[in-house]
Amino acid sequence: MRTILFFVCVIITLSSAHSQNAEPSSKSVEVTSRPKLVVGIVVDQMRYDYLTRFESKYGNGGFKRMINEGFNCKNNHFNYVPTYTGPGHASVYTGTTPKYHGVISNNWYDKEEKAMVYCAGDDSVSSVGTNDRAGQMSPHRMKTTTFADENRLFTQLKGKTIGIAIKDRGAILPAGHAANAAYWFHGKDEGVWITSTFYRTDLPKWVMDFNASKTAESYFKVWDTYKDITTYTESGSDENLFEGGFNGKDKATFPYDLVKLKDENRGFDILKATPYGNSLTTDFAMAAIKGEDLGKDNITDVLTVSFSSTDYVGHNFGVNSKEIEDTYIRLDKDLERFFKYLDANVGKGEYTVFLTADHGAIDVPAYLNSLKIPSGYVDNNDRKEKFQKFLNDTYGTGDVVENISNNQIFLNSEKLKELGLNRVEVQNAIAHEQLSYANIDKVYTAHTFNTTNFTTGIEALLENGFNQKRSGDVILLDDTAYISYGITGTTHGSGLNYDTHVPLLFFGKGIKHGHTYDKTVIPDIAPTISAILGISFPNGATGQPLGFVIE
């Protein structure tokens, strides 16, 4: 009997040991089964409702493929102000907000340099691929890493990172600090893809071959609607009072002959403001996959692609235009051919893609106003005149203010000291004054954000966008649907839903199929991709992995 019990115990022990050993083995397979390529796509100025509004016009291989095969986060928002291109791209890839990554706007006033600086500008590097200064760019002003940086570290630099966009900042900030290269499009009279010495000292052969191929020049043609314009029922009339258009054409109406218009619209730069800029970006992204052998082994590579032309078209023609509808119909076709290229060259099921936006956009206030929806335009001259009088009457000089930009007021520290003024008291006095001006909704001081922790409302968004070292002393918020812009076209930058609600789609390897209405925020993207890759989160990440997305 004892012998039987002994063998039973041995069998149970061995069975238990086998079970315990099996689980780590399974986990090991899961961790090492990484995608060969991660593709991050940012569609510049894409509101969430572009997915639903133009849905009937999309094919099955672009946006719908991502939705039907992947995961759709339908309540995805930016969780900070301001919603601009530079901060947007940085936040998507660093997993945090301007409070930590430091990219507080596209351009901002540098309190140490006493000058405006550009988020990607870098005079210490040189252009590569052009003699123009357009290549003097790098990510040096972004203070934290991207998930692409962390993948480079994790793979001992064996995993490549390439960033691509028409806009320099749309290529540079996502790729991060340790990227192999970032490439952006230099238009004017050249029409070439360039980089900077921050990454390398010459263009690789595949880039030179692409530039020599005259692919960019091939898009100088007529831009007419992809489908019959009478079927574009999801947008307003083609001729209206709310669109900008191009120099050399009296009306902002289809068709647009780009050959005839290019000379009056900065040459190759006109392509940026048409859907052909997105097509050119797709062409170049596919060339990069081939030229860099991306996704050809089991060490994960990262390709970041930003479609910038959607932003140029939106700024010019507005949210409700036929031009924006046609641009998204054509982008859907570009996505379809891009995904087919990935299937053929990396392997279906071997790559992971996410798609989001860097911000949304507001309907043209003049259009909203015609429908009796509260909206309008800020009178900056009136504000400036009143504020200058207040400063002179209160402090005897306007020099206590050093700069006003990005809805922020920067005080002059030397002048405050000279006049014996208390900084916090001056901040409060200015805030009280500014709040009395027309179309200013809320005003907050730096002291408030330095001493208060907001968790909800617009205050939390402002705090997430406030960088203690770089932001101003007083932060201004305009009324809902009031903008500082021309009366045609649209813009962005607020913490309101039209600027914060953007798509978030995942599909490919490691991604479940489904959707959620639970709120997700932009900083969640980078930790989610990091979790799929089994790598460290970006060093300043504040977002959380979206576990319900991961297979």
Side-chain angles (χ1 to χ4, degrees):
M1 185 67 179
R2 288 180 180 175
T3 303
I4 294 171
L5 286 172
F6 172 78
F7 279 108
V8 168
C9 289
V10 169
I11 291 168
I12 291 171
T13 301
L14 289 173
S15 175
S16 175
H18 176 74
S19 175
Q20 290 171 2
N21 289 334
E23 188 176 358
S25 174
S26 173
K27 285 184 178 179
S28 177
V29 171
E30 182 182 338
V31 169
T32 57
S33 182
R34 300 181 177 91
K36 293 182 177 180
L37 177 65
V38 170
V39 181
I41 298 174
V42 175
V43 183
D44 205 320
Q45 203 188 113
M46 185 176 183
R47 291 162 51 116
Y48 176 79
D49 66 352
Y50 290 161
L51 273 184
T52 53
R53 214 171 101 205
F54 306 139
E55 182 180 12
S56 65
K57 298 297 190 293
Y58 295 146
N60 292 319
F63 291 116
K64 283 185 180 178
R65 180 177 175 186
M66 295 195 75
I67 292 169
N68 293 335
E69 295 182 20
F71 203 96
N72 184 0
C73 298
K74 298 184 176 184
N75 188 23
N76 183 63
H77 289 262
F78 280 86
N79 63 339
Y80 65 84
V81 179
T83 43
Y84 294 135
T85 298
H89 283 78
S91 298
V92 168
Y93 286 87
T94 63
T96 190
T97 68
K99 181 176 183 178
Y100 297 105
H101 63 59
V103 182
I104 62 172
S105 189
N106 292 335
N107 303 273
W108 65 85
Y109 182 72
D110 189 296
K111 291 182 275 191
E112 295 181 3
E113 295 185 27
K114 308 292 184 185
M116 295 296 292
V117 297
Y118 177 55
C119 63
D122 189 347
D123 290 338
S124 72
V125 301
S126 301
S127 301
V128 176
T130 180
N131 291 323
D132 193 278
R133 293 189 62 200
Q136 291 187 273
M137 304 288 168
S138 84
H140 76 108
R141 287 194 169 94
M142 184 169 66
K143 301 172 74 173
T144 59
T145 62
T146 65
F147 75 77
D149 286 326
E150 296 300 333
N151 187 64
R152 290 278 285 160
L153 294 171
F154 182 84
T155 62
Q156 301 301 309
L157 307 184
K158 296 183 182 72
K160 286 186 175 182
T161 294
I162 303 292
I164 291 170
I166 291 283
K167 294 181 181 180
D168 46 47
R169 58 188 179 271
I172 291 166
L173 299 176
H177 306 274
N180 298 82
Y183 299 101
W184 52 98
F185 185 69
H186 175 54
K188 296 183 181 179
D189 61 347
E190 294 188 64
V192 292
W193 291 87
I194 65 172
T195 189
S196 83
T197 53
F198 179 85
Y199 304 101
R200 51 185 301 137
T201 57
D202 59 355
L203 292 179
K205 184 178 183 302
W206 69 265
V207 177
M208 291 191 291
D209 288 346
F210 189 93
N211 286 339
S213 70
K214 297 187 182 298
T215 302
E217 194 172 344
S218 72
Y219 287 111
F220 283 135
K221 53 187 178 181
V222 174
W223 173 24
D224 206 347
T225 53
Y226 185 83
K227 300 173 184 285
D228 184 344
I229 195 170
T230 62
T231 67
Y232 284 23
T233 55
E234 296 79 13
S235 47
S237 59
D238 191 28
E239 185 175 349
N240 59 69
L241 301 174
F242 314 115
E243 301 175 9
F246 296 112
N247 294 331
K249 193 173 189 302
D250 292 338
K251 295 180 179 180
T253 55
F254 282 106
Y256 300 93
D257 189 334
L258 303 186
V259 174
K260 292 181 179 179
L261 295 172
K262 65 183 177 68
D263 290 342
E264 292 189 59
N265 294 273
R266 296 169 55 88
F268 281 96
D269 280 350
I270 196 173
L271 297 179
K272 299 177 181 180
T274 76
Y276 300 137
N278 291 332
S279 299
L280 178 62
T281 302
T282 306
D283 298 335
F284 191 71
M286 293 190 297
I289 291 169
K290 181 179 180 181
E292 297 287 347
D293 289 326
L294 300 180
K296 289 299 183 183
D297 55 31
N298 291 323
I299 301 174
T300 303
D301 298 319
V302 175
L303 175 65
T304 74
V305 182
S306 180
F307 290 106
S308 307
S309 293
T310 42
D311 185 69
Y312 288 108
V313 175
H315 277 295
N316 193 355
F317 297 98
V319 167
N320 200 46
S321 63
K322 297 285 190 218
E323 287 80 1
I324 205 73
E325 179 167 1
D326 191 69
T327 296
Y328 277 89
I329 290 170
R330 290 178 180 272
L331 175 58
D332 184 63
K333 296 298 179 185
D334 284 324
L335 289 174
E336 180 174 4
R337 68 187 178 97
F338 183 54
F339 294 153
K340 285 180 178 177
Y341 189 86
L342 289 171
D343 290 341
N345 290 271
V346 180
K348 191 172 184 179
E350 294 295 338
Y351 60 88
T352 304
V353 181
F354 71 81
L355 182 149
T356 188
D358 55 348
H359 53 74
I362 183 177
D363 257 301
V364 178
Y367 169 65
L368 294 176
N369 202 250
S370 73
L371 301 175
K372 301 180 181 178
I373 294 174
S375 58
Y377 299 89
V378 172
D379 188 339
N380 287 312
N381 290 330
D382 181 61
R383 283 186 184 178
K384 183 178 180 180
E385 186 178 325
K386 288 180 177 178
F387 188 46
Q388 189 64 41
K389 184 178 186 305
F390 163 79
L391 294 176
N392 288 331
D393 289 348
T394 307
Y395 304 109
T397 176
D399 291 344
V400 293
V401 170
E402 194 166 83
N403 177 268
I404 302 175
S405 55
N406 292 314
N407 273 25
Q408 298 182 47
I409 298 172
F410 295 79
L411 297 180
N412 184 328
S413 297
E414 288 77 13
K415 200 65 178 178
L416 294 181
K417 186 176 180 180
E418 177 189 323
L419 297 175
L421 297 173
N422 178 280
R423 190 180 209 97
V424 174
E425 290 177 357
V426 175
Q427 287 177 0
N428 289 333
I430 288 175
H432 181 75
E433 170 68 13
Q434 287 282 335
L435 196 58
S436 70
Y437 296 167
N439 304 127
I440 286 187
D441 185 44
K442 292 179 175 62
V443 184
Y444 294 93
T445 67
H447 177 71
T448 298
F449 291 127
N450 287 330
T451 57
T452 309
N453 181 30
F454 296 102
T455 57
T456 60
I458 193 69
E459 294 81 6
L461 273 63
L462 286 166
E463 186 174 330
N464 285 336
F466 179 83
N467 184 279
Q468 191 176 40
K469 194 165 186 175
R470 294 181 173 178
S471 295
D473 289 271
V474 180
I475 293 84
L476 314 173
L477 241 65
D478 294 323
D479 279 340
T480 303
Y482 274 77
I483 61 174
S484 179
Y485 204 67
I487 60 172
T488 61
T490 191
T491 193
H492 48 85
S494 78
L496 295 155
N497 285 324
Y498 48 72
D499 283 337
T500 68
H501 191 194
V502 298
L504 178 54
L505 305 174
F506 294 89
F507 102 110
K509 190 164 191 174
I511 303 299
K512 289 180 181 176
H513 174 235
H515 68 268
T516 183
Y517 289 101
D518 290 345
K519 186 171 184 177
T520 58
V521 293
I522 287 295
D524 293 337
I525 298 171
T528 301
I529 296 298
S530 298
I532 290 171
L533 298 181
I535 64 176
S536 293
F537 292 1
N539 58 19
T542 52
Q544 298 299 316
L546 303 175
F548 50 80
V549 174
I550 302 172
E551 196 167 43

